[in-house]
Amino acid sequence: MLIGLVVLMLLSINLGGLMSVILQLGRGEWLAGLGSLVTLIVVDALGFRVLRGLRGQD
């Protein structure tokens, strides 16, 4: 159950983050777009680490 919620959270964060990056880069805001992309990558890395830890507990 908890693993499903973490996967759903990661999916939502990825979709929102990708839309944010696309919109910022489309407006020509390169620095803000790159900052959003870096934040998205860091949150993904942390999320996958949490997901791996949860899978190890089962």
Side-chain angles (χ1 to χ4, degrees):
M1 174 79 175
L2 188 59
I3 292 175
L5 290 174
V6 171
V7 169
L8 183 63
M9 183 184 70
L10 283 173
L11 182 65
S12 298
I13 289 171
N14 279 324
L15 290 176
L18 286 175
M19 287 304 298
S20 173
V21 170
I22 289 169
L23 290 172
Q24 287 173 342
L25 292 177
R27 287 190 304 244
E29 298 174 358
W30 295 101
L31 191 57
L34 291 176
S36 294
L37 184 62
V38 169
T39 302
L40 182 63
I41 291 170
V42 169
V43 169
D44 273 346
L46 291 174
F48 284 120
R49 186 171 180 174
V50 167
L51 192 59
R52 185 177 295 152
L54 288 173
R55 288 182 129 191
Q57 287 179 354
D58 289 340

